[in-house]
Amino acid sequence: MSDSKYVIVGSEVDQAEYFLHDDGRIDRDKGADGQPLNVEFVGKLMVDLSRRGPENVSEAELMELEDQLKYALTVQDFSVRTGNAPLSDSERQQILDRTRVKIQFEPRYRLDGHADRNIRLLIVPCDETLDVADKLIRSQGDSKGFRPPLSYEMDKALLMASLKSELVEIAREFAAKGVPGWTQDMQAALETHMSDAVDARCTFRDPTGAPLDDVKNEIMGSPVRAFHRSVGIYATNACR
Amino acid sequence: MPKGPDLHELEDCRYGCAPGPAPALRVPARVSIRGVQPNADPTDGAAYVTRQPPQILLRTTPEWRRQCLTEAAHIPSAYTYLGQLMGHDMGSSVALSSVPHVQRAEATDAVSILGPRRYNLIDNPLTLETVYGPGPMMLSHLYDPDTMLFRLTPGARLARVYRASHDPLSSSDDRPIRALYDERNRDTLMLHELAVAWMQFHNLCARTLMANGASPFMAYAMVRAHVVRVWHGIVRDDVLPRFLHPDIAAIPEEDLPPEWQLDETTLLHGLFRAFHSLPLAAYDLGRHGVHNLADLLKAGYEISEAESDWVIDWPLFFGERPGGPRTGLSASVAPELRAPVSAAAVIALDNTTAIDVRPLRAGNDKIEAAIARLPDPWPARLTPQAIAQDFQARHPASPVRVTSEMIEWGPLFQAVMIEAQLHGQKGGLGPLGSALLRGSIAGSINRVILAPEREEAKDLPRPETMMKLIELVRKV
């Protein structure tokens, strides 16, 4: 196991493995009141802690939160990139069992008559994890465009939905090209297609193709929840 | 003296000729060679009934799909992809023009007028050529030449990726090379993992023999045959039972009539396309979440997000644990195969290929002969008129009005899908589709000649199901 390259990241919104219950219990059963421990949970917590500030969070509470956050993490290995064997479930579990989460407030000191003093914490990921991605990207050679490392299936859908009007506008610009034989009806059909196609790509589906009643579609329609998810991803996945 | 072209042979033409009036005329219910127009040119499409596009692919709706799946979704989704691997192992059909050195085989008879237009790159169907290719002597990127093992880490679930050096003075082509013989097997994450499981199984068996003193070549040769034996067992006892109608499954193998064996073209372009009804719009991967099919498809040469981040939960996919995705054959397809852009492309490609290769349709004599050999009461219940009437009676609100003409002269896969919707059990094919599938697969298996099993190979593992094979190779 010691040779495996892996990274410990926050669980995606639909891939939570543990749930926090109202009585403080954490288990794998969602039940009626289970709150999924995932990147959205992490992000929401970070937003809340940032609002309250370190002076309003006791040491004991922080320790409890750190313990909760541990269950919002998952182990992702680089086996596909390195050609190694993937970690087994028990290996992943052992890694998580021996993982400790530490939450730190970034200090900002406000001093009378002086500019603020800040300490920015830059986390250097362990075990060459950035090097793995760096090597992979270098080996791909030069090409235009780049998909940032922390963008997932959902980020693509969120971004595309937010760019919908611009994408339709690109199709609209085609009308001005004056292509012979191009009619108003064809232009309208093209714009409708662009709009429908973007909607289709931004909908998570059930096996029959109908919109799925799940957290990903909920987040697609809620900028605040999407923001919490993003904060959670950046807080936990920074080394990926 | 060589026999001249006999146009009457066109009645049996495996390229789907059903000579009849020119398309401008109304097509009679039953067309035969006797009605061929004297001036009809068999090469210009006028001599056979014009191909109709697959209406059920073009006009299906989300509501119809939902209704179809509610009835049919009994087959664990893993079999969609095991079936696809089987399809890839039956054929890789390319235009004959892309293989210019191949002679036209039937140069002297009527068929030569049409000419064979496709070439199957799989030389030996159902021997896992789709996984092995031409073997270790030819493919050093796939096999280690010293050990003759697939280049795989034990336990890895996906193929390795090799890249050219980043040295600017070396090759400018930076596209990765994947240690996978048939790139089609990277089509979806599911299929990719299945193909690699077979490679792992080969390595596991070969390592066992080499540990007992066999040379790499002897180990390769013995295991190559052993793996084909295991594959045939899995095809026969694990894959086919999921799709066969009980009346066809009950027939002893030695009693299967020869009429049920399809020619390769009709099998690949006629029957197998019925399996397009199996993919679901989205899959629940268990711990790795629910993902749209589009996100599980390969996207270019690079490692996809699906490959790097998600893992298939096979016990869930094979139905060993409850709650996994299930599917079934029906007269509908997933939206990804229907709309908007990819579907249009898939349908257009299928349609163009069908016009080009002319697989048999239900109205051709050979398929009618296959129907006649079905056990009673099926020959009477599967006439085009009976199918159309039954379908309209049972599904009056379906988006497509099924006609007997559509059954006869639409694509065979459409007829098979409609038949499955009517008479399939637990998501399987109807009697005709089952008979053609079973007859053709049995025919292909019987054509495979393997060297007798050697003593050293007798103790190698023989998983009876794909799930057991995956468990075996993942234990390492």
Side-chain angles (χ1 to χ4, degrees):
Chain A
M1 200 195 307
S2 58
D3 289 341
S4 297
K5 297 278 181 234
Y6 64 88
V7 60
I8 301 169
V9 298
S11 300
E12 177 57 291
V13 286
D14 61 338
Q15 295 169 39
E17 291 186 52
Y18 292 93
F19 299 88
L20 173 64
H21 297 275
D22 292 347
D23 60 4
R25 194 167 34 92
I26 291 174
D27 60 26
R28 288 177 181 269
D29 184 14
K30 186 169 190 217
D33 63 346
Q35 199 182 342
L37 292 171
N38 57 20
V39 282
E40 188 188 2
F41 176 88
V42 177
K44 209 169 153 189
L45 183 66
M46 292 294 113
V47 170
D48 183 53
L49 291 178
S50 165
R51 181 176 50 79
R52 288 163 63 192
E55 58 282 4
N56 295 313
V57 183
S58 71
E59 190 91 350
E61 187 188 0
L62 208 56
M63 279 174 70
E64 192 189 339
L65 293 174
E66 286 173 344
D67 190 49
Q68 288 173 0
L69 285 192
K70 185 171 146 174
Y71 293 94
L73 302 177
T74 187
V75 176
Q76 220 169 56
D77 64 44
F78 289 131
S79 59
V80 174
R81 296 173 190 187
T82 59
N84 288 336
L87 292 165
S88 68
D89 284 355
S90 66
E91 287 170 328
R92 293 169 64 250
Q93 193 55 50
Q94 281 173 38
I95 291 170
L96 280 181
D97 289 345
R98 292 168 59 84
T99 298
R100 195 191 142 202
V101 174
K102 197 165 162 47
I103 302 173
Q104 242 179 307
F105 286 89
E106 279 188 336
R108 170 165 294 174
Y109 304 101
R110 298 194 187 278
L111 306 168
D112 288 342
H114 297 278
D116 292 351
R117 222 178 121 221
N118 285 290
I119 297 179
R120 288 249 48 192
L121 300 170
L122 303 188
I123 307 297
V124 180
C126 59
D127 200 23
E128 306 164 34
T129 44
L130 286 180
D131 192 45
V132 173
D134 187 70
K135 280 197 177 114
L136 183 80
I137 291 161
R138 278 176 192 279
S139 70
Q140 288 170 6
D142 294 334
S143 64
K144 200 166 183 181
F146 177 62
R147 191 169 177 197
L150 293 184
S151 57
Y152 300 92
E153 174 198 33
M154 254 213 92
D155 298 279
K156 189 176 142 200
L158 285 162
L159 202 58
M160 196 181 282
S162 73
L163 289 173
K164 182 177 168 181
S165 55
E166 191 169 341
L167 293 169
V168 174
E169 208 172 292
I170 291 171
R172 189 161 299 149
E173 287 166 9
F174 188 73
K177 287 219 164 201
V179 175
W182 191 250
T183 65
Q184 195 55 45
D185 285 349
M186 287 159 119
Q187 180 62 33
L190 174 66
E191 288 176 25
T192 306
H193 164 73
M194 279 300 287
S195 174
D196 291 348
V198 170
D199 287 345
R201 280 166 169 74
C202 298
T203 305
F204 294 93
R205 302 187 180 281
D206 73 8
T208 72
L212 188 66
D213 180 18
D214 87 328
V215 61
K216 286 198 285 196
N217 280 331
E218 286 168 17
I219 287 181
M220 283 304 295
S222 167
V224 171
R225 291 186 65 183
F227 170 63
H228 290 162
R229 172 183 169 275
S230 297
V231 172
I233 286 176
Y234 281 90
T236 57
N237 294 22
C239 47
R240 185 168 179 266
Chain B
M1 194 171 157
K3 193 177 142 208
D6 176 2
L7 285 180
H8 286 269
E9 284 183 2
L10 286 174
E11 192 171 28
D12 293 330
C13 173
R14 71 190 190 94
Y15 296 99
C17 302
L25 301 173
R26 182 164 170 72
V27 179
R30 177 72 188 88
V31 183
S32 87
I33 180 68
R34 261 67 66 180
V36 70
Q37 301 294 295
N39 61 349
D41 175 0
T43 61
D44 68 5
Y48 69 100
V49 181
T50 308
R51 290 195 175 266
Q52 299 178 2
Q55 295 297 326
I56 53 171
L57 265 65
L58 292 169
R59 295 174 54 192
T60 187
T61 62
E63 294 71 32
W64 174 242
R65 177 66 174 164
R66 199 157 33 248
Q67 192 186 325
C68 288
L69 278 179
T70 306
E71 283 179 31
H74 295 283
I75 301 175
S77 278
Y79 291 96
T80 301
Y81 298 96
L82 198 48
Q84 192 180 9
L85 185 69
M86 188 176 81
H88 286 180
D89 200 28
M90 291 295 293
S92 177
S93 173
V94 296
L96 187 65
S97 56
S98 67
V99 204
H101 51 279
V102 172
Q103 299 277 325
R104 290 187 170 201
E106 302 91 337
T108 58
D109 61 16
V111 173
S112 66
I113 299 170
L114 306 167
R117 313 209 178 172
R118 305 291 288 186
Y119 184 79
N120 188 357
L121 290 178
I122 295 289
D123 289 325
N124 305 292
L126 278 191
T127 61
L128 280 181
E129 197 176 301
T130 186
V131 171
Y132 284 96
M137 305 296 202
M138 303 290 285
L139 300 169
S140 55
H141 75 288
L142 187 58
Y143 299 89
D144 179 330
D146 293 330
T147 61
M148 296 200 175
L149 296 174
F150 285 107
R151 293 181 186 272
L152 271 177
T153 309
R157 63 187 176 89
L158 296 176
R160 276 193 197 163
V161 176
Y162 293 92
R163 289 172 186 282
S165 152
H166 192 60
D167 178 355
L169 296 175
S170 72
S171 160
S172 60
D173 186 356
D174 275 331
R175 284 181 299 191
I177 296 169
R178 198 169 294 263
L180 203 59
Y181 168 65
D182 192 338
E183 181 67 16
R184 293 178 304 163
N185 292 335
R186 237 191 101 209
D187 213 28
T188 56
L189 178 62
M190 291 71 96
L191 185 57
H192 190 166
E193 288 199 11
L194 289 176
V196 170
W198 281 101
M199 293 157 72
Q200 292 284 19
F201 181 60
H202 174 96
N203 280 5
L204 184 144
C205 293
R207 281 200 179 93
T208 306
L209 292 185
M210 286 194 282
N212 292 334
S215 68
F217 180 73
M218 280 310 291
Y220 172 80
M222 280 189 277
V223 173
R224 181 73 178 83
H226 174 74
V227 171
V228 172
R229 286 191 172 91
V230 172
W231 175 226
H232 287 174
I234 286 178
V235 166
R236 232 182 329 233
D237 303 327
D238 190 17
V239 183
L240 287 187
R242 303 284 169 169
F243 296 108
L244 296 187
H245 189 280
D247 290 358
I248 303 301
I251 297 170
E253 189 153 329
E254 56 276 15
D255 294 343
L256 296 176
E259 287 84 352
W260 292 354
Q261 283 190 41
L262 291 174
D263 63 273
E264 212 167 79
T265 303
T266 305
L267 183 65
L268 297 180
H269 299 282
L271 182 64
F272 275 176
R273 295 221 166 117
F275 288 101
H276 277 174
S277 60
L278 294 176
L280 301 178
Y283 286 99
D284 184 351
L285 306 190
R287 195 178 73 216
H288 290 268
V290 182
H291 303 285
N292 290 352
L293 176 59
D295 292 316
L296 288 157
L297 296 172
K298 87 171 172 191
Y301 298 99
E302 295 306 328
I303 295 170
S304 68
E305 183 183 354
E307 287 169 327
S308 65
D309 288 11
W310 309 331
V311 176
I312 304 298
D313 183 336
W314 287 110
L316 197 67
F317 257 64
F318 273 106
E320 298 215 335
R321 277 213 322 275
R326 284 180 182 257
T327 186
L329 283 136
S330 68
S332 69
V333 290
E336 277 67 18
L337 294 177
R338 193 177 65 227
V341 178
S342 58
V346 169
I347 292 168
L349 180 69
D350 283 1
N351 216 30
T352 313
T353 316
I355 287 167
D356 191 29
V357 305
R358 301 180 183 179
L360 292 175
R361 291 172 284 170
N364 289 112
D365 282 0
K366 285 203 165 174
I367 303 296
E368 290 188 344
I371 294 172
R373 297 299 305 266
L374 292 172
D376 283 331
W378 296 111
R381 293 186 67 184
L382 294 178
T383 63
Q385 292 78 6
I387 293 177
Q389 276 168 17
D390 285 352
F391 191 88
Q392 284 311 124
R394 194 170 331 156
H395 303 289
S398 90
V400 174
R401 198 179 148 263
V402 171
T403 63
S404 58
E405 205 171 86
M406 187 194 286
I407 301 292
E408 264 188 303
W409 300 119
L412 180 62
F413 64 83
Q414 177 174 255
V416 166
M417 287 160 82
I418 290 169
E419 188 217 11
Q421 174 93 21
L422 279 178
H423 302 300
Q425 304 209 352
K426 294 196 170 175
L429 291 158
L432 174 62
S434 301
L436 297 177
L437 181 68
R438 189 167 176 214
S440 303
I441 295 292
S444 289
I445 288 178
N446 290 338
R447 279 190 287 277
V448 176
I449 296 168
L450 293 170
E453 191 164 48
R454 289 170 61 115
E455 199 56 38
E456 302 95 298
K458 289 221 159 77
D459 291 333
L460 290 174
R462 292 168 201 274
E464 291 153 2
T465 64
M466 190 68 207
M467 184 64 240
K468 284 184 180 157
L469 187 143
I470 292 172
E471 278 170 358
L472 184 71
V473 299
R474 296 272 171 96
K475 258 187 222 155
V476 180

